[in-house]
Amino acid sequence: MITQVQETDYLYSIPKSFSTRAIHTAQHAEPIHGSVNVPIHLSTTYKQRGPGQPYSTFDYTRCGNPTRAALEECIADLENSKHCITFSSGCAAISCIINTCKNGEQIICCDDVYGGTQRYMRNFSVKNHGIEVLFVDITDPENVVKTITERTKIIWIETPTNPTLKIVDIAAVCKIAKENKILTVVDNTFATPYLQTPSNLGADISINSGTKYMGGHDDVVFGSLTCNDKELYDKLFFSAKSQGGCPSIFDCYLIMRSLKTLELRVKQATKNAYIFAKHLESNPLVQKVIYPGLPSHPQHELVRRQQRGGGAMISFYVKGGFEETSKLLKALKIFTLAESLGGVESLIEVPSVMTHGSIPVDVRNQLGITDNMVRVSIGIENVEDLINDMEEALKSTQ
Ligand SMILES: *Cc1c(COP(=O)(O)O)cnc(C)c1O
């Protein structure tokens, strides 16, 4: 079993001082007792010196809190951005942005977008708010050019996509958007701020479901957005505080704690995923493997240009149908059959009946989300154990 690989095989570049920033940005020892960790400030309100004269900038926690402010400064730094707003979930960050659109305006959204984003757009933006949403395959940036009108307000990018792991050329799409004064949003959840920096590629807003890699231990639901433009930040902050989806302060503490090991975790998971995907590709019981970090991925060149590594999400097709796939899932001992991703433990799921079950079957088939497709989120366990577990379970599909 090949488990020895060169770091340059799975990591193409490394962001400067990532862990130093994750551990230290805005996390100075507190001045009264010298506590090394940022305290959990549970106060919802703040005493004022006189009417309209708060001690510092905080007056009410939905609008600002010292623990949350420290976390936001840190996330902004990791995304190479000036501003950050945090949320109770990734979906809260998503709706905060979408709700800045007005009746009659239009959103162009990548066709292979996260189910919750699609649900919000279809059921609220389109049905209730009179916003037009066009789901377009923007892996070809020419399709963006063809679709834009003077009403287009936002281009919504997610890359790598879920679960087919297609790659959108962020720089190319953002260039087209800029020429037309359209806002670009990148959902950076799958790549993480460690492997991809949308602001460097011209994106106006980067969002993360912190529930995934940022939290990394499957115990916090959380979201963030980052941007550089102050006017845009003010507009988004107004939307955020009005809608009220702010995170709990204890969750902010947990995310700050998890960010300190983001680099270590993502590096190890990416290394594991690369080795795992290579083994899977050579297994005769597997029909096809989709992994952005393998040369067999149709957009691997773009992955190397845009990302610092292939990430830790892999999709593959089992030889056979739903029956064989079910047998595989029953036989696995280390992989947990569950939705979600980005935690230290490896998870596996069948998108057609789980995460993507609500998508109409013809759309699913068109995207390649068939009943023998499985998606794995590779964790940081010993990779030989993961490979053995999968190889043994694959035998049971026969
Ligand atoms: C999970 C996820 C979201 C939504 O995040 P929640 O924290 O579950 O609300 C958004 N985008 C992507 C790509 C996700 O995987």
Side-chain angles (χ1 to χ4, degrees):
M1 193 183 288
I2 313 149
T3 53
Q4 294 303 314
V5 292
Q6 302 280 326
E7 189 173 275
T8 48
D9 292 339
Y10 59 89
L11 279 185
Y12 322 132
S13 66
I14 290 172
K16 198 171 173 294
S17 306
F18 191 88
S19 286
T20 308
R21 290 182 282 139
I23 294 166
H24 293 291
T25 298
Q27 298 162 76
H28 318 295
E30 158 278 319
I32 299 170
H33 306 290
S35 92
V36 174
N37 287 311
V38 173
I40 301 174
H41 289 271
L42 286 180
S43 198
T44 55
T45 188
Y46 301 82
K47 181 178 172 177
Q48 306 205 356
R49 292 181 200 281
Q53 295 174 332
Y55 274 70
S56 65
T57 54
F58 305 108
D59 50 25
Y60 184 64
T61 277
R62 172 160 41 74
C63 308
N65 170 286
T67 310
R68 195 197 315 152
L71 172 62
E72 289 175 343
E73 194 179 329
C74 182
I75 294 174
D77 191 358
L78 299 182
E79 285 273 1
N80 196 22
S81 295
K82 289 200 184 82
H83 310 286
C84 172
I85 305 172
T86 52
F87 296 88
S88 54
S89 70
C91 283
I94 289 165
S95 59
C96 167
I97 299 166
I98 297 173
N99 286 349
T100 61
C101 284
K102 295 191 187 77
N103 187 301
E105 290 179 335
Q106 182 193 69
I107 299 172
I108 296 175
C109 182
C110 61
D111 60 356
D112 202 14
V113 75
Y114 174 70
T117 308
Q118 191 163 156
R119 180 170 53 221
Y120 190 83
M121 287 178 176
R122 286 190 197 279
N123 293 291
F124 293 90
S125 311
V126 174
K127 282 194 192 151
N128 297 357
H129 305 153
I131 294 158
E132 186 181 20
V133 183
L134 300 170
F135 294 95
V136 178
D137 178 4
I138 61 171
T139 54
D140 180 0
E142 268 310 301
N143 289 339
V144 177
V145 178
K146 284 183 207 152
T147 318
I148 285 174
T149 70
E150 65 283 356
R151 293 187 296 115
T152 313
K153 188 73 185 178
I154 292 177
I155 299 177
W156 197 279
I157 302 166
E158 191 175 309
T159 180
T161 65
N162 174 19
T164 57
L165 304 173
K166 292 192 288 190
I167 310 296
V168 177
D169 188 335
I170 298 174
V173 173
C174 290
K175 185 166 175 283
I176 297 164
K178 274 224 165 58
E179 286 163 6
N180 292 277
K181 298 192 166 56
I182 299 166
L183 205 66
T184 43
V185 181
V186 174
D187 187 330
N188 206 26
T189 301
F190 270 38
T192 80
Y194 182 67
L195 293 179
Q196 179 166 279
T197 312
S199 69
N200 292 357
L201 301 162
D204 295 308
I205 303 171
S206 173
I207 60 164
N208 278 278
S209 165
T211 315
K212 317 297 165 55
Y213 289 98
M214 276 187 176
H217 298 75
D218 292 327
D219 54 4
V220 189
V221 178
F222 180 85
S224 73
L225 72 77
T226 48
C227 66
N228 272 311
D229 185 76
K230 177 73 164 65
E231 212 175 301
L232 176 62
Y233 167 77
D234 288 343
K235 191 172 162 180
L236 292 167
F237 181 74
F238 185 74
S239 176
K241 80 168 180 186
S242 305
Q243 288 167 63
C246 63
S248 108
I249 301 310
F250 187 69
D251 289 351
C252 290
Y253 176 80
L254 286 176
I255 294 290
M256 207 180 314
R257 177 184 160 129
S258 294
L259 286 179
K260 295 176 199 287
T261 56
L262 184 64
E263 175 171 32
L264 290 176
R265 288 184 284 108
V266 174
K267 240 186 193 172
Q268 186 61 43
T270 299
K271 180 181 180 183
N272 280 357
Y274 175 76
I275 297 168
F276 186 89
K278 269 173 87 95
H279 274 268
L280 214 52
E281 204 163 48
S282 65
N283 191 312
L285 301 173
V286 172
Q287 193 185 328
K288 185 182 162 194
V289 177
I290 311 173
Y291 177 60
L294 284 181
S296 60
H297 189 284
Q299 296 167 293
H300 185 63
E301 283 298 304
L302 173 58
V303 174
R304 283 189 169 259
R305 226 172 38 238
Q306 175 163 290
Q307 301 181 201
R308 300 189 187 91
M313 297 301 296
I314 304 170
S315 290
F316 65 95
Y317 294 89
V318 178
K319 267 198 188 142
F322 190 64
E323 195 188 326
E324 286 75 11
T325 307
S326 300
K327 280 186 191 162
L328 167 77
L329 296 168
K330 279 206 186 74
L332 287 163
K333 293 191 174 75
I334 297 175
F335 283 87
T336 302
L337 176 61
E339 297 190 1
S340 199
L341 58 123
V344 290
E345 59 275 271
S346 295
L347 302 180
I348 188 162
E349 65 121 1
V350 184
S352 70
V353 292
M354 295 172 70
T355 49
H356 293 66
S358 64
I359 298 178
V361 64
D362 54 323
V363 179
R364 261 194 340 243
N365 286 335
Q366 202 183 325
L367 292 169
I369 308 170
T370 49
D371 284 346
N372 63 332
M373 177 200 240
V374 292
R375 186 191 82 179
V376 291
S377 166
I378 298 291
I380 63 170
E381 300 97 333
N382 181 299
V383 70
E384 288 185 35
D385 294 338
L386 295 177
I387 294 169
N388 283 332
D389 192 31
M390 185 58 71
E391 286 186 345
E392 284 307 308
L394 277 165
K395 285 181 196 157
S396 73
T397 63
Q398 290 306 289

